[in-house]
Amino acid sequence: MNILITGATGLLGKKMVEVLSEQHKVFAIVKPGSSKFIERKNIYFIEKDLAKFELNNFPNNIDTVYYLAQSRKFREFPEEVIDIFEVNVSAPLKIIKWAIDNGVKNFYYTSSGGVYRNPKKPVKE
């Protein structure tokens, strides 16, 4: 299976890339200059800035996409609202459209919940 993961250097992404690459080919989207993984079999890095995201040089034959990326500026709202919107809304929408057009079977959009500032009690939504 061919898997595309955004946010591959983040909290969830690092572990998912490591585990999934044991049995699958993983295309890890990382911010330019941040492909710091130890080279491993089945991991292919794609350096992209999701705040200025374009769909060039995307891999073919992807079966599953995990969108794990989050704007690094999420705590700087409202000053950095453009970056937050581009990474958290616009880029996933572009990838969803690409996924539909390219027959991707599964798309997962998830978050580590890191938007909360160290709450003392469980967060209820």
Side-chain angles (χ1 to χ4, degrees):
M1 182 183 319
N2 294 330
I3 299 170
L4 179 76
I5 299 178
T6 67
T9 57
L11 179 68
L12 298 175
K14 284 180 194 174
K15 190 64 175 176
M16 286 188 74
V17 167
E18 178 185 324
V19 170
L20 291 172
S21 68
E22 291 174 7
Q23 296 181 21
H24 307 286
K25 193 181 288 188
V26 175
F27 295 87
I29 296 182
V30 296
K31 193 164 184 130
S34 66
S35 47
K36 298 175 185 172
F37 288 108
I38 297 169
E39 288 298 321
R40 287 181 56 155
K41 180 181 165 191
N42 294 331
I43 302 174
Y44 305 89
F45 297 102
I46 303 168
E47 292 192 344
K48 297 264 184 206
D49 183 349
L50 294 174
K52 300 174 183 126
F53 183 67
E54 295 299 326
L55 278 166
N56 53 354
N57 302 322
F58 249 50
N60 295 321
N61 303 318
I62 296 296
D63 301 294
T64 299
V65 173
Y66 290 95
Y67 196 95
L68 309 177
Q70 173 177 264
S71 169
R72 293 176 189 220
K73 299 178 180 182
F74 71 93
R75 293 194 196 277
E76 300 170 47
F77 183 84
E79 298 79 19
E80 294 294 339
V81 70
I82 300 296
D83 185 89
I84 295 165
F85 179 83
E86 291 298 329
V87 176
N88 295 4
V89 179
S90 184
L93 181 61
K94 290 175 185 176
I95 295 175
I96 288 169
K97 173 73 168 99
W98 169 85
I100 291 167
D101 292 346
N102 288 278
V104 173
K105 297 175 187 92
N106 304 293
F107 187 99
Y108 301 96
Y109 182 98
T110 190
S111 170
S112 64
V115 296
Y116 302 105
R117 295 185 188 260
N118 302 320
K120 298 198 185 319
K121 304 187 259 186
V123 176
K124 295 183 182 179
E125 296 195 19

